[in-house]
Amino acid sequence: MSLSTLHEQLRALRLGHFTQALQQQQAQPTTYTDMSFEERLGLLATHELLCRDNTKVQRLARQAKLRVDARASHIDYRASRGLKKDKVAALLSGQYLHYNQNIILTGATGCGKTYLACALATQACDQHHSVRYYRLGELLDELHIGHADGSYRQQLSTLAKRKLLILDDWGMEALTARQANDLLDVMEIRYQQSSTIIASQIPTSEWYKLIPSPTIADAVLDRLLHNSHRIELTGESMRKLDQSDHLA
């Protein structure tokens, strides 16, 4: 069999990365002289698997549509922020996702809630979980359009499949009755099946008054707050601190 035929067969099997690695081995034969057939084959298989893993992680990150490019290694743990490194490390491990637990992030404007939420989301993508980021108002607008064009149930089905849903800017304004019902539908379809991260300037003690119906408020908040991890960020605005660092 000719090499070109072999390469075509490997590509037909969707082993493109394997093929590239094989071509590299063939271009540098002396490098692999002391290796057995099985060792060389193992290198090719490992390369294929690593490339597939990287491709999947990149696809999940694109689909997540995160607001910021945040990394766990860049989280600022200065004492004034109220972040406990061991608690964040436990969340970054992804165990909360396996137990379908939620995370509630509260704190003043600019304290880094969005960054922390997106860092957790990036880590979830690295762990091969499907993620989607929304500002709450953006999600509610999309659901409103879904009622109008008949895609509402499909939207809920799509949201149900996301292992991690991030709702940022929670509580910027009180909800209408329709929005409260839509939010309850989202929480209900995901309850005990997946995880949600909420980022809000508003303390959880004031969330109840944002939802017009007491019954719906009870249902939504029960599904969100039950068995959730809570982090209250404190200290000065990270934006101001960053500006000060640049000026120093």
Side-chain angles (χ1 to χ4, degrees), residues 145-163:
I145 294 171
H147 284 293
D149 65 15
S151 65
Y152 181 72
R153 288 296 161 190
Q154 181 58 47
Q155 288 175 319
L156 290 180
S157 178
T158 299
L159 289 170
K161 295 174 183 176
R162 301 293 187 184
K163 187 61 181 175

Side-chain angles (χ1 to χ4, degrees), residues 7 12 15 29 47 60-61 63 66 92 98 109 112 121 124 126 143 162 166 170 174-175 190 231 234:
H7 292 165
L15 295 172
H47 182 75
L60 290 170
Q63 292 174 346
L66 300 180
L92 289 168
H98 295 291
T109 300
D126 290 345
L143 294 174
R162 301 293 187 184
I166 299 173
W170 174 279
L175 304 180
R190 294 175 53 78
I231 296 178
T234 57

Side-chain angles (χ1 to χ4, degrees), residues 28-109:
Q28 302 173 331
T30 56
T31 304
Y32 304 94
T33 301
D34 296 331
M35 299 181 67
S36 67
F37 171 79
E38 289 79 8
E39 288 173 328
R40 292 181 62 178
L41 182 61
L43 286 177
L44 298 175
T46 297
H47 182 75
E48 177 69 30
L49 290 172
L50 285 174
C51 288
R52 287 191 182 192
D53 181 81
N54 290 336
T55 298
K56 182 173 183 177
V57 169
Q58 291 169 6
R59 173 174 54 80
L60 290 170
R62 286 195 304 272
Q63 292 174 346
K65 298 186 178 181
L66 300 180
R67 189 170 177 177
V68 295
D69 180 15
R71 303 290 168 178
S73 58
H74 294 162
I75 295 174
D76 190 330
Y77 290 99
R78 69 185 73 189
S80 60
R81 300 195 69 202
L83 270 182
K84 294 183 178 179
K85 207 165 189 177
D86 57 344
K87 184 171 185 177
V88 175
L91 295 176
L92 289 168
S93 74
Q95 283 299 306
Y96 75 98
L97 293 164
H98 295 291
Y99 293 109
N100 304 313
Q101 297 169 336
N102 301 326
I103 300 175
I104 310 298
L105 306 176
T106 56
T109 300

